[in-house]
């Protein structure tokens, strides 16, 4: 299991820990926690799993900086970033190229995501009805179905808002009736 940097004693992590690894760009040192998670987590795990030394690794600091940037800009989700990282570790290929080649970028066109949400609502009418009646877990389920349909490429926050909007449009508020 890969641990996060916060779960370990990483207080003594410094450039000295990465002798043999080319110097990290300042962009990465400003994102200490994110970089520490990658290096102490996935990177260390893959080094051990592959029986490699740090100087044999094909990932460059600029590749790591690019991956961190893609994730910060919301162009790639966490699970997709992990898949890209593993591929990058094996091939040394740039993360943006892997993302494009494997179709791992987040869905950026709202209209595309809306179509997927509409289909998920049609296929899961009971969950949509449950959400309309106030069951919050139904929204979580519907978001999960969209994530499944998009192989994790949908932004969960955007997906949640689109689902809420679609369900509200299908169930407009009733006008107050005079008594």
């Amino acid at each position: 299991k890969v641990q996060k940097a916060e779960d370990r004693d990483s207080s003594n992590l410094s450039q000295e820990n990465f002798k043999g690894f080319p110097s990290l760009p300042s962009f990465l040192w400003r994102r200490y926690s994110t970089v520490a998670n990658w290096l102490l987590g996935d990177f260390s795990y893959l080094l051990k799993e592959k029986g490699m030394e740090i100087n044999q690794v094909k990932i460059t600091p600029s590749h790591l900086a690019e991956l961190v940037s893609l994730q910060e800009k919301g162009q790639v989700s966490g699970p997709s970033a992990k898949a890209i990282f593993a591929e990058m570790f094996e091939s040394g290929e740039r993360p943006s190229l892997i993302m494009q080649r494997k179709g791992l970028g987040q869905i950026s066109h709202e209209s595309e995501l809306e179509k997927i949400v509409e289909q998920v609502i049609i296929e899961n009418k009971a969950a949509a009805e449950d959400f309309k009646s106030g069951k919050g877990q139904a929204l979580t389920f519907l978001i999960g179905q969209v994530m499944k349909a998009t192989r994790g490429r949908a932004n969960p926050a955007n997906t949640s808002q689109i689902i809420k909007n679609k369900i509200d449009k299908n169930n407009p508020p009733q006008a107050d009736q005079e008594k």
Side-chain angles (χ1 to χ4, degrees):
K1 180 181 176 188
V2 176
Q3 293 180 330
K4 292 188 178 237
E6 295 86 24
D7 299 337
R8 304 173 204 186
D9 179 19
S10 59
S11 58
N12 63 354
L13 180 67
S14 70
Q15 291 173 333
E16 289 298 309
N17 296 93
F18 299 99
K19 288 181 181 173
F21 195 69
S23 63
L24 295 171
S26 61
F27 167 84
L28 291 178
W29 283 111
R30 290 190 307 264
R31 285 149 183 86
Y32 171 84
S33 181
T34 302
V35 172
N37 283 333
W38 281 112
L39 294 177
L40 295 173
D42 294 63
F43 185 78
S44 295
Y45 171 79
L46 289 168
L47 273 177
K48 186 176 180 179
E49 182 183 86
K50 305 292 181 187
M52 295 173 70
E53 295 294 324
I54 202 164
N55 59 356
Q56 298 172 304
V57 174
K58 295 179 181 176
I59 293 177
T60 67
S62 64
H63 288 150
L64 184 56
E66 183 180 342
L67 182 60
V68 168
S69 178
L70 288 171
Q71 205 169 6
E72 283 183 354
K73 291 176 183 175
Q75 294 177 321
V76 67
S77 67
S80 291
K82 284 184 160 296
I84 290 168
F85 189 87
E87 176 80 17
M88 210 170 49
F89 190 90
E90 292 288 326
S91 69
E93 190 175 3
R94 293 181 53 133
S96 57
L97 297 175
I98 296 168
M99 181 184 75
Q100 290 172 351
R101 181 172 43 80
K102 292 195 160 199
L104 295 172
Q106 284 204 335
I107 296 172
S108 57
H109 298 291
E110 193 167 305
S111 61
E112 183 181 351
L113 191 52
E114 284 178 352
K115 290 176 186 174
I116 295 166
V117 166
E118 287 171 1
Q119 188 61 38
V120 165
I121 290 171
I122 289 168
E123 294 171 359
N124 297 279
K125 288 180 184 174
E129 289 299 322
D130 287 347
F131 177 67
K132 281 183 198 178
S133 66
K135 295 181 182 173
Q137 281 297 98
L139 177 61
T140 304
F141 172 79
L142 292 168
I143 292 169
Q145 294 305 300
V146 172
M147 296 304 286
K148 181 179 175 183
T150 62
R151 296 184 340 257
R153 292 177 48 230
N155 179 300
N158 293 351
T159 300
S160 175
Q161 192 57 51
I162 292 170
I163 291 171
K164 289 175 185 176
N165 291 343
K166 292 287 182 189
I167 290 176
D168 285 343
K169 281 183 184 176
N170 293 334
N171 191 24
Q174 300 294 320
D176 288 336
Q177 295 179 0
E178 290 184 27
K179 293 185 179 180

